[in-house]
DNA sequence: TATGGACCTTCCCATGATTGGAAGGTCAAG
DNA sequence: CTTGACCTTCCAATCATGGGAAGGTCCATA
């Protein structure tokens, strides 16, 4: 049995976040010693690592909760899990695409800027431009 | 002269955010009518559009403030602006790379999952795995 | 001129995930 | 027995944004 600090070190989740996950119900309340310290065993650490890894993979907390439920449910079909993961891949793809569009637009501006001592700068001209800038403005951020 | 609602419509920045930008000092305080309404002219709307566009391009607020300062400074060199924009391109590239790594890791898992009725699922196996998962865990999110 | 509705004002709250700190209790080693 | 490193709870801040309440203003129409 470990205390919260050891569990944090073993799982890669900070003690602060472990308490937060418990408070929000993502993970079940930890056991307590007679003096009130939280206790964690290997199983709990594994759950924490699960959460950590899923967060690393970009799953929002809500989806992590879904994954945890599937993980705990021995009878679930792997198709359910695969579906969640595929949705997450698509969410990542969408965000990547968005950011690539931003980058392309910005690079275009960078390339058209002399970058010397003169004050003329197409980048600022574009940013302050009088046109509606409808294209990029439509991008949800 | 427009009121805040008209300025919001003309700039694409919500009234809420206009007040917030003013409060945080990103933009100077707007003029007021005798009854306390904020007033905006074409110049102010242009500034708001500038902010909006820069945010669309992924600039964090802090960098937007830098860009605004350069914009207002008639004597600045275009190199300064270009430098900021290049840094932003690199920041975007780094984030894109991170997310592509996440996506690749997740796709790898998806491909190795049968996705049928059986409960065996490499995705969950990996997430809860006993290994340290050092590689991806090192990725800052 | 009164009234209604669409606007404005300020103020507070919530989000999501995380970090920080203060005040106080506990544990283990010296 | 003291010291320092841990633990506990509670409260606050972050960042950019949205939601809403309570109250004032503006304007068109009845």
């Amino acid at each position: 049995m470990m205390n919260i600090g050891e569990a944090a070190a073993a799982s890669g989740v900070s003690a602060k976040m472990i308490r937060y996950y418990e408070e929000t119900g993502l993970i079940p309340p930890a056991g307590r010693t007679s003096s009130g310290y939280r206790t964690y065993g290997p199983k709990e650490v594994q759950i924490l690592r699960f959460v950590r890894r899923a967060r690393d993979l970009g799953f929002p907390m809500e989806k992590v909760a879904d994954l945890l439920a599937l993980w705990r449910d021995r009878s679930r079909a792997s198709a359910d899990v695969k579906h969640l993961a595929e949705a997450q891949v698509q969410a990542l793809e969408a965000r990547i695409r968005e950011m690539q569009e931003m980058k392309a637009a910005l690079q275009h501006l960078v390339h058209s800027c002399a970058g010397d001592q003169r004050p003329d700068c197409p980048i600022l001209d574009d940013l302050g431009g009088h046109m509606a800038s409808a294209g990029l403005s439509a991008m949800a951020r």
Side-chain angles (χ1 to χ4, degrees), chain A:
Chain A
M1 279 301 176
M2 341 177 160
N3 60 26
I4 201 172
E6 290 161 336
S11 67
V13 180
S14 74
K16 282 273 189 193
M17 289 314 295
I18 295 177
R19 295 192 196 98
Y20 173 74
Y21 290 154
E22 177 180 324
E23 186 193 321
T24 59
L26 182 69
I27 59 176
R32 299 284 185 138
T33 66
S34 55
S35 59
Y37 281 25
R38 287 176 180 83
T39 59
Y40 299 87
K43 194 176 117 209
E44 284 73 31
V45 168
Q46 196 189 6
I47 291 177
L48 289 171
R49 256 202 307 251
F50 183 105
V51 173
R52 170 68 202 270
R53 181 108 169 89
R55 299 281 304 124
D56 282 348
L57 288 172
F59 283 92
M61 295 263 302
E62 192 196 338
K63 301 295 169 187
V64 177
D66 293 345
L67 284 170
L68 266 180
L70 289 174
W71 195 41
R72 278 193 275 253
D73 175 11
R74 302 270 168 118
S75 69
R76 94 275 136 163
S78 67
D80 293 343
V81 181
K82 189 170 186 172
H83 202 257
L84 269 182
E86 279 168 346
Q88 174 58 12
V89 167
Q90 292 190 358
L92 284 173
E93 273 171 356
R95 291 234 60 214
I96 289 169
R97 232 177 296 120
E98 260 183 29
M99 300 214 303
Q100 278 171 339
E101 279 170 37
M102 287 183 206
K103 186 188 133 187
L106 200 47
Q107 269 180 330
H108 177 71
L109 293 177
V110 165
H111 288 147
S112 60
C113 173
D116 54 18
Q117 297 305 314
R118 290 168 302 168
D120 315 282
C121 181
I123 297 172
L124 293 183
D125 291 349
D126 176 274
L127 288 174
H130 289 283
M131 64 289 195
S133 71
L136 269 161
S137 295
M139 292 188 339
R141 308 197 59 259

